[in-house]
Amino acid sequence: MLRSSSGALDLFLRRLVPLLLGVLLNGCVSVSYYGQLATGQLQLLQARKPVPEVLADPATPPALRAHLEQAEQARAFASEHLKLPDNRSYRVYADIGRPFVVWNVFATPEFSLEAQTHCFPIAGCVAYRGYYSQGAARGAAALQKQQGLDVYIGGVEAYSTLGWFDDPILNTMLRWGDERLATVIFHELAHQRVYVQDDTAFNESFATFVEQEGTRQWRAARGLAANTGDDSRQRDQFVGLVLASRERLKTLYAAPLTEPAKRAGKQAEFERLRRDYRVLRDTQWKGVGPYDAWINAPMNNAKLLPFGLYDQWVPAFAALFAQVGGDWQAFYQRVETLGRLPLDQRHQALRSIPPVGAGSPRD
């Protein structure tokens, strides 16, 4: 049985509070920020129910029941076939009554694409701060804007506590459809399997590869045809546009120009990105633009930060998986070995992995 609310509180006090107190005593961040993290995580723990209990409840809506039944099958596949952690994560459900579980706030200087980083227990240093309240995220963003920073707020539907708690399937995850729900379960469990502090690109690329290969195998196990890849191709093309724009901005900011000239060049680059997107949409996507809302909204440096983090090293991990003949346990061992290297050596090792050849195994 899942722990009761008092049990969840006891677990919370034993695991999380000592870490938060240690950080607060060292003066790393404000009491109010860590207070909202603690409150938000505790509310999440208290909202959980075992999936079998939700399925057995006659009042459970049919649509929710169907989603959770599919999620149960994907969760079992994750441990049995993908060799991901076999624990209670994603075997519990929580309805938190809002569209996102947290809102991440990204910030950069006006003429830089270097993120303002923040360091935390367990997770290490990351390029954002997370807030369980949208209002709190907006308040933090407003303060950073007053300091002259570029700021962007992004809603997050799911995250991993890296095995410290039993992470639930959230109501925020259910609007994607059953296959996308399965891929997120694979992705988040991958973070529990391997996680390296202070290397977001490594962690996210690894989890993204596990998600992609896991989904391919999940479809094959159910006798479904391989995904056509149209959505993935569009995403890759869009990310390519954004990364190219980011490189041009880096060149602009490094140039010996006045601030007004850089400011004008920055806005001109954002307009170029919008034009390039529209050309791509109208010539290759038949006029249907899944990223229209994003591209037409206000633009700044911070909004470009998340791009590239999730897929920078995916080809290297795919090649590594092929090298071990598709053996998941051997693959994880190789990834763990890479994770123990110093950052520069780790990235050099990833760059040196030969790309997947035509004869690589894809069982």
Side-chain angles (χ1 to χ4, degrees), residues 119-138:
C119 299
F120 305 95
I122 306 172
C125 298
V126 294
Y128 54 82
R129 274 193 181 179
Y131 295 83
Y132 283 89
S133 160
Q134 187 177 25
R138 288 174 172 169

Side-chain angles (χ1 to χ4, degrees), residues 58-311:
T60 297
L64 174 58
R65 187 186 309 279
H67 281 311
L68 292 180
E69 287 172 347
Q70 286 292 314
E72 273 198 316
Q73 295 177 32
R75 181 63 184 84
F77 184 87
S79 292
E80 293 170 8
H81 296 274
L82 309 183
K83 308 305 179 185
L84 291 168
D86 190 4
N87 54 30
R88 293 191 62 82
S89 289
Y90 309 108
R91 290 185 167 115
V92 292
Y93 173 71
D95 187 338
I96 56 175
R98 56 181 187 266
F100 298 106
V101 59
V102 294
W103 286 262
N104 285 341
V105 179
F106 299 85
T108 70
E110 182 182 7
F111 302 122
S112 173
L113 286 154
E114 293 298 319
Q116 302 286 298
T117 57
H118 309 277
C119 299
F120 305 95
I122 306 172
C125 298
V126 294
Y128 54 82
R129 274 193 181 179
Y131 295 83
Y132 283 89
S133 160
Q134 187 177 25
R138 288 174 172 169
L143 290 175
Q144 290 177 303
K145 286 179 182 177
Q146 289 179 1
Q147 299 169 21
L149 298 174
D150 279 13
V151 183
Y152 175 66
I153 301 173
V156 178
E157 293 94 344
Y159 68 87
S160 172
T161 60
L162 306 179
W164 277 70
F165 300 101
D166 299 331
D167 294 322
I169 299 168
L170 297 166
N171 65 293
T172 57
M173 301 161 64
L174 298 182
R175 56 186 172 181
W176 298 325
D178 291 333
E179 182 161 303
R180 178 59 182 150
L181 176 58
T183 68
V184 172
I185 290 172
F186 302 158
H187 184 105
E188 299 302 339
L189 286 173
H191 284 313
Q192 292 189 19
R193 184 63 180 78
V194 179
Y195 188 87
V196 178
Q197 282 200 350
D198 306 335
D199 195 343
T200 301
F202 181 90
N203 294 323
E204 294 300 346
S205 296
F206 162 71
T208 296
F209 170 74
V210 173
E211 164 194 325
Q212 292 175 354
E213 178 61 22
T215 301
R216 189 193 68 79
Q217 294 187 14
W218 172 234
R219 290 184 65 87
R222 293 178 295 153
L224 299 178
N227 197 306
T228 61
D230 289 343
D231 291 344
S232 177
R233 191 157 39 250
Q234 284 188 345
R235 183 189 67 242
D236 290 346
Q237 289 175 321
F238 176 65
V239 170
L241 287 182
V242 175
L243 293 181
S245 180
R246 206 162 67 180
E247 289 304 311
R248 291 191 294 268
L249 284 170
K250 286 181 181 179
T251 301
L252 171 70
Y253 298 151
L257 301 172
T258 64
E259 287 195 356
K262 288 184 179 181
R263 197 167 290 122
K266 176 180 177 180
Q267 294 308 312
E269 177 54 45
F270 290 146
E271 286 306 312
R272 175 178 174 176
L273 174 58
R274 290 188 174 101
R275 287 196 305 272
D276 290 348
Y277 169 79
R278 290 168 188 143
V279 169
L280 178 65
R281 178 196 63 191
D282 295 341
T283 60
Q284 298 190 39
W285 300 352
K286 301 179 181 178
V288 178
Y291 304 104
D292 283 2
W294 188 94
I295 205 76
N296 291 322
M299 199 84 71
N300 63 30
N301 295 330
K303 192 172 180 177
L304 309 185
L305 284 179
F307 290 88
L309 290 177
Y310 281 71
D311 47 22

Side-chain angles (χ1 to χ4, degrees), residues 37-49:
L37 286 184
T39 301
Q41 182 61 44
L42 179 58
Q43 290 173 343
L44 200 64
L45 293 177
Q46 293 176 322
R48 300 172 305 169
K49 295 180 180 179

